[in-house]
Amino acid sequence: MIKDLFKKELKVFNLGAPTFAEELQAQGVDAVNIDWKPVAGGNPLLLKALKALDPDVVDKANEEALSIYLQGEPYLVDYCVAKDVIPNFEDHMLLHAGPPITWERMCGPMRGAVMGAIMFEGWASIPEEAAEYAASGKVKFSPCHEHDAVGPMAGVIAPHMCVSVFENRKFGNRAYCPVPEGMGGKLLRYGAYSQEVIDRLHWIATEFREVMHAALMQCDGVDTKSLQFQALHMGDEGHNRNKAGTSMYIRAMAPLMIKSGLPAEKILPVLDFVNGNDGFYLSISMPTSKVTLDPVKGVKNSTMVTAMARNGVDFGIQVAGLPGEWFNGPSQKVVGLYFPGYGDEDANLDMGDSCITETAGIGGFALSGAPAIVQLVGGTASEGVEISKRMYEITIGENLNFSQPVLNFRGSPTGIDIRKVVETGILPTIDTGSVHRLPGEGQIGAGITHPPMDCFEKALIKFAEVYGKPE
Amino acid sequence: MYFDSVTLMGVSKRLLDIDGVEKVSVSMGTDLNKDLLRDSGMNSPETDQAGPNDLMIVLIHEEGADSELLLQKIEGELSRKPSMESEGGDVVPSSIRTALSDFPDGNVALISLPGQYAAYEAKQALRQGLHVMMFSDNVSLEDEIELKRFAHERSLLMMGPDCGTAIINQAALCFGNAVKAGPVGIVGASGTGMQEVSCLLDAAGVGVSQALGTGGRDLSEAVGAIMTIDALRALDSDDATKVLLVVGKAPDKPVMEKLVSEAGSLHKDVVFCFLSPEKYADEEGVFFANTLEGAVLKVLGRLSDSERILDVELPNKDQILKMSSGLKPRQKHLRGVFCGGTLANEARMIFKEECPGIPIFSNIAHEADEKLPSDGRCEFSSVVDMGDDEFTRGRAHPMIDPELRNQRICEEALDPTVAVVLFDLVLGFGASKDPLTPLLKSIAEAQSALAAEDRKVVFVGYVLGTDADPQSRSACIDELKKAGVVVAKTNAQAARIASELIKEVANHD
């Protein structure tokens, strides 16, 4: 009611001339200046798309989408051979990170990973043959995301590799993720394909898998939502810093390994392997994110982003209301710090499926809780807090399961809304590792990156075509 | 001493910015870091032997660079203390949505964005339950109608587009004056019109409960007074409001009938102030006035407290004669130079009524034969609204930036056919912090030029404002009087004094 306003304390949001806010403040009225920018950068096409959508309908669909995500009950249930569990994993198929890409367009590290995977499968025995084989058209390349999987960096999954198996017990869907091979540079996910790399993959697919499988058979799965919640309160953000999560993971798994009755000489190398890899938990946070986001796919009228992924060349997003479609733009540089001896000229563009964590409201979205790594952003802890706070402007809601202590335990900003990204011009913040542009050189630093705006603009325009009301 | 790797990466990055440094690595002597050094060819026998608790500093510098100095700088970096920003991370909201999540008690959005964006933001604000005041103009009629209907459905105010004045809960939004709280609820399609009636009510010792703007087009047939009617209903049910006052241009017949029938159905008396020569007959509970001053007098008549009076007495004949003495026979014309559009209009209407037969031109005249030529000059009497679009394109309104207006006062005064220069001075929130000084300067300039030609003109001024305004009204009045200006108590009174003077000089030969 209008007259109710006359009984309230006036509180004004000022959009435009700041002097109007100052004049109100001079009268003792609470006036908040809004740092306004033209909606959608003033682009008439995008403005039209935004106007074509009925906000009530979309908001309602987004609430539903977010609630589906929040209800998810992710569990780590097994470690298996990829082709035995991953759906539609055809013969001579290799999965990779990001949106679809051909061998011709792949960046260096992804090519290296593909070559390594070909040798791992025994389709070729030396790198030259492997490259030839990859180019021959005999290999089918397909994005992990199209097979319920996610892979870090190059994200290459070959049929006989070991993957973790996650289950969303609320909705019954599954998700898969390769096992992290360790720290350093000589890893398949960075495009290394030396014998050492391939041998390690075989060890993971056999001995490592045997122990992990046996351990998980001792329990009814490991509740990874709870692991994630605890790790976020211990200085992790679930993408770039995973020390706490890795510790929690060992704490969950070690008793199960013992319980399995396997001999210590089998268990110890596996425990050592995990313990020696501070980043191991990324392989838990990624599929946990994926398996809870996937049921959101196909929610009609919802503009919630269900996946963000990059293949080192293209950055692609997927949107709930437009299931199965990729909206791509160029992958961006990672801006941050380099390990000694490396610089901008060495860096590949942003790569990997790991920003599924940001899609799920952690990673860069929960940076406020990971002060130990905010220096990557350029310095102060308050900058990390600022980044987290910014993300509330482009998200649908908050995830109280993942609360941020520094923000008085406010839930992490969750559910990227393509409308809000386009409206505000604020891009999701991804804090990630940067990889050398040459195969097998490995990680060379870490920092902050963003998706290109193109992804969101293209998605919005398509979304308005599908769901918008005609003028 | 242990340094974590991220800190050291930061140190390395900053060291690279130092002149003379080609490559630098500062890291702890872990196996991984030693491998990295070897891979990049920056290792040395010393680093190969370093242990995990040793700090390895490898520096490759240009020939001739002062390595001692560089090492000092590295040490400086390592001992640098972090700034003690405890929490911080304050984010200025970039949208109404985020502002609301930070300040859920927000209730009004004040929008002064360029017209092409204003409607979109207003819709967002209304959707989220905020009342809207829209100062922006250049919003399409279709958008205005849609926004007002949308607001109506949600029982929200949609003040504007093109709404420059409101007083809500005693606070002036955009352009408004510090007036007393009181029993009069104002609804207005005209900014300076609302300012004038609220200040006159204040001067009469009565105050204002609320003043709700609607934007100039609300009374058009297309918009159909949606917001005027909603605002009237809201004020009718507001306990603090006793009498309602509507200020605007006279609407076309269908809207007029709608308004009158709406007013008749309200519990409280309604006074309509339509600035038009047409006179309407008062009805039961519905009253009409065609000047701002007249409207205030009617409102005062509606209030039981008869102590409240407005001094609108005119100078007597002798005083007028005294003011006009010394004018030359050629000096016959009035030139009104106004900041306030409604004030200009009121002055013009009063002049026409008081001086029938004396032509007067204006840039805001609707009558084609009274329209000022496009150069804004004429050889007769005229009233110019300096706030009209033609003068404000690419520059601020004269209430904010009075320079053009003051120049014009000086120019008109120097026209040898001019007898009277009539002007307003609008005070209040939103207006120039010191409009008086430059105005006095222009008047003084004109006066000294006139004195050099052994002439004078009569300056008649009106100060719109209250003593509680940021610029003190009484101080302005005193200073203008000292400068020889005849200062009136209402805008209408100023126009009548000017009219009397023109009638007087019309007889001079």
Side-chain angles (χ1 to χ4, degrees), chain A residues 93 100 112 132 140 147 256 263 278 299 336 344 348 364 369 418 467-468:
Chain A
M93 182 180 266
E132 220 170 90
K140 265 192 186 158
H147 300 264
L256 299 173
D278 282 343
V299 173
D344 280 343
N348 199 76
I418 57 168
Y467 291 103

Side-chain angles (χ1 to χ4, degrees), chain A residues 11 15 17 23 27 35-36 393, chain B residues 93-94 107-108 112 121 172 430:
Chain A
K11 179 135 194 171
L15 290 92
E23 291 283 52
Q27 299 173 72
D35 180 20
W36 180 88
E393 304 213 17
Chain B
S94 68
N107 42 34
V108 173
S112 55
E121 296 295 344

Side-chain angles (χ1 to χ4, degrees), chain B residues 35 68 75 97 113 153 167 184 210 232 255 270 275 301 303-304 314 369 378 400 416 419 432 443 453 461 478 484:
Chain B
D35 284 349
E68 274 306 308
E75 245 170 81
R97 189 167 19 80
L113 301 168
E153 286 162 17
I167 298 173
V184 185
Q210 310 286 340
L232 279 173
V255 176
V270 183
L275 290 167
L303 293 165
S304 48
L314 286 177
D369 56 345
C378 75
I400 303 167
S432 163
I443 291 171
E453 296 174 20
D478 291 349

Side-chain angles (χ1 to χ4, degrees), chain A residues 1-3 5-21 23-24 26-27 29-30 32-39 41-42 47 50-51 54-56 59 183-186 335-342 372-376 378 380-383 385-387 389-390 392-395 398 406 410 420 423-424 426 441 443-446, chain B residues 4 6-7 9-10 12-13 23-27 32-33 36-37 39-40 42 83 85 87-103 105-114 116-117 120-121 124 127 130-131 135 143 154-157 168-175 210 212 227 230-231 234-235 237-239 428-431 433 470:
Chain A
M1 294 292 283
I2 292 172
K3 72 165 183 169
L5 176 65
F6 307 152
K7 302 259 183 292
K8 286 183 186 154
E9 195 137 324
L10 200 60
K11 179 135 194 171
V12 178
F13 295 151
N14 186 46
L15 290 92
T19 145
F20 289 143
E23 291 283 52
L24 281 165
Q27 299 173 72
V29 174
D30 218 344
V32 179
N33 265 313
I34 291 181
D35 180 20
W36 180 88
K37 287 182 203 71
V39 173
L47 215 53
L50 283 168
K51 280 184 181 163
D54 182 335
D56 296 330
D59 285 349
M183 304 281 273
K186 307 291 179 274
V335 178
L337 299 175
Y338 291 106
F339 297 145
Y342 296 105
I373 60 152
V374 292
Q375 293 181 76
L376 295 175
T380 61
S382 62
E383 277 168 302
V385 175
E386 192 180 315
I387 286 173
K389 280 191 179 174
R390 244 325 150 218
Y392 288 105
E393 304 213 17
I394 55 168
T395 43
E398 299 177 12
V406 180
R410 190 173 174 185
K420 294 180 179 176
E423 259 174 26
T424 60
I426 298 171
E441 291 286 326
Q443 187 177 357
I444 59 170
Chain B
D4 73 86
V6 178
T7 301
M9 282 157 75
S12 300
K13 185 180 177 159
K23 273 184 166 188
V24 68
S25 160
V26 184
S27 56
L32 185 66
N33 286 335
L36 283 167
L37 280 182
D39 288 351
S40 58
M42 287 171 75
S83 67
E85 287 170 53
E87 40 174 305
D90 279 338
V91 170
V92 181
S94 68
S95 66
I96 291 169
R97 189 167 19 80
T98 24
L100 262 178
S101 71
D102 291 348
F103 309 99
D105 53 343
N107 42 34
V108 173
L110 176 51
I111 300 175
S112 55
L113 301 168
Q116 67 265 41
Y117 305 117
Y120 182 86
E121 296 295 344
Q124 302 290 319
R127 191 182 296 289
L130 296 175
H131 300 280
F135 177 73
D143 280 343
R154 285 162 173 73
S155 301
L156 293 168
L157 285 171
I168 296 176
N169 306 347
Q170 269 37 76
L173 287 92
C174 295
F175 298 90
Q210 310 286 340
L212 307 173
M227 220 14 77
D230 279 359
L235 291 170
S237 61
D238 170 45
D239 296 337
F429 296 101
K433 294 274 181 281

